[in-house]
Amino acid sequence: MTGPHPPGPVRPDTLTLLGTGDSKGVPRFWCACPVCAEARGAHGQPGVNRRTRTATLLRSGGQSALLDAGPDTHAGLARLSGPLVPDAVFISHAHNDHLLGLGDLLDYVRYADGRLRVYAPPEVVPQIAARFPYAFPAGEAGPVRPIPPRGVPVGGVTVRAFRVPHGANGHSHAYRLDRPAGAGEQGWSAAVVTDAIGIPLELARTWLRGPGGAGLDTLLLGTSFEDESGVPLTGRSVYDVREALALPWARAARQVILTHLSHGVDVRRAAHLPPGWGYARDDLTVPLARPPATPNL
């Protein structure tokens, strides 16, 4: 007789950034600026600045979850090495660049008899129903449920949502991810804040710090432009890189990945970012455990 099989390798908790562009993607189809020109690539290869709309894949303990589902989500999932149906999908707000990919996922549920848990903040659920009425038959429970205040477990991670100011666009929601320490596993804390500007200090103290007030282990932060200081604040909706570099809670994080990037950011020019900071790129996988060294971003 043979003994029990040894346990397989422990896979680290990760975020895979399937889409890292702003609402219009890069390149803009109408634009000939240097960043868009580079993003179009050459000889059939895309440039390093090519970016699709927002979708982030969390993996933990053999489970996975999508954090937002922009219009390019189908393509992002299709680029993975094998088929994957996420165990859960979270929608932060009802803007097209975070929501329209949900149509493909709802089709999987409705027409392929698939099983999928979809969550959104309570106020966002009716907005999703208005966008996809065919998936919410009258008299039936819809496929999207409110995110409970205690959060939703995904593997060993708890996913919670919190409301953040979105400038000229009103408000959005960000995600807080927590993995408690235990059973030989190192705990960590992270946040995914793609669409926000002007976060109050008290809100940051509550949601954008680790246990005991320490900095987050990982912060994914939206910065659509390098410098929008020439644009009236009343017309803006997302931090720029200049502002992000001055945020105390961002500076306190162990690693910061700047995402939601427009054609106003050229990722080839990253020398001005401090150690532990980097620009996102589509399909980048970020380890979430406290890193022994700064990852290669």
Side-chain angles (χ1 to χ4, degrees):
M1 294 180 63
T2 60
H5 292 293
V10 177
R11 296 183 178 179
D13 300 332
T14 60
L15 289 176
T16 297
L17 314 184
L18 300 178
T20 60
D22 70 341
S23 63
K24 302 173 184 64
V26 183
R28 268 82 157 128
F29 65 82
W30 64 88
C31 184
C33 76
V35 172
C36 286
E38 189 280 332
R40 287 188 173 90
H43 310 296
Q45 296 298 314
V48 296
N49 280 297
R50 183 173 295 188
R51 333 184 235 277
T52 58
R53 274 74 63 87
T54 301
T56 303
L57 181 66
L58 167 67
R59 285 180 166 125
S60 173
Q63 294 190 337
S64 63
L66 269 177
L67 309 180
D68 288 323
D72 309 299
T73 297
H74 179 282
L77 291 173
R79 290 195 302 268
L80 298 175
S81 59
L84 181 144
V85 177
D87 295 282
V89 178
F90 297 86
I91 301 297
S92 62
H93 60 302
H95 287 173
N96 286 349
D97 59 318
H98 292 254
L99 175 65
L100 288 189
L102 185 60
D104 291 311
L105 298 167
L106 293 176
D107 285 351
Y108 165 77
V109 172
R110 187 158 181 81
Y111 300 119
D113 197 28
R115 295 286 183 267
L116 185 65
R117 293 179 294 150
V118 184
Y119 296 93
E123 68 201 77
V124 178
V125 175
Q127 298 172 17
I128 296 174
R131 201 73 62 89
F132 300 101
Y134 69 91
F136 291 77
E140 296 182 20
V144 183
R145 63 188 78 175
I147 301 175
R150 67 183 181 278
V152 177
V154 177
V157 178
T158 298
V159 180
R160 293 180 290 165
F162 60 99
R163 181 166 162 158
V164 292
H166 196 4
N169 287 331
H171 67 271
S172 175
H173 294 82
Y175 302 108
R176 171 68 184 237
L177 314 177
D178 288 282
R179 172 75 180 245
E185 296 286 340
Q186 188 177 35
W188 52 262
S189 56
V192 178
V193 189
T194 59
D195 290 53
I197 190 171
I199 293 178
L201 182 58
E202 195 58 39
L203 185 67
R205 286 173 177 159
T206 301
W207 289 99
L208 298 171
R209 293 283 188 176
L216 293 167
D217 292 295
T218 300
L219 173 64
L220 188 62
L221 180 61
T223 53
S224 291
F225 290 85
E226 288 186 8
D227 186 345
E228 280 198 291
S229 57
V231 178
L233 189 61
T234 53
R236 297 179 52 216
S237 58
V238 178
Y239 288 115
D240 64 21
V241 176
R242 166 189 58 90
E243 291 165 324
L245 289 169
L247 294 170
W249 45 269
R251 295 201 311 267
R254 291 174 182 263
Q255 62 174 343
V256 179
I257 300 97
L258 302 178
T259 189
H260 207 273
L261 307 173
S262 78
H263 65 170
V265 174
D266 189 337
V267 300
R268 297 171 296 178
R269 299 199 301 262
H272 63 291
L273 297 180
W277 289 54
Y279 284 125
R281 62 177 183 272
D282 284 15
D283 302 324
L284 172 70
T285 293
V286 179
L288 290 170
R290 295 178 184 174
T294 301
N296 182 14
L297 299 178

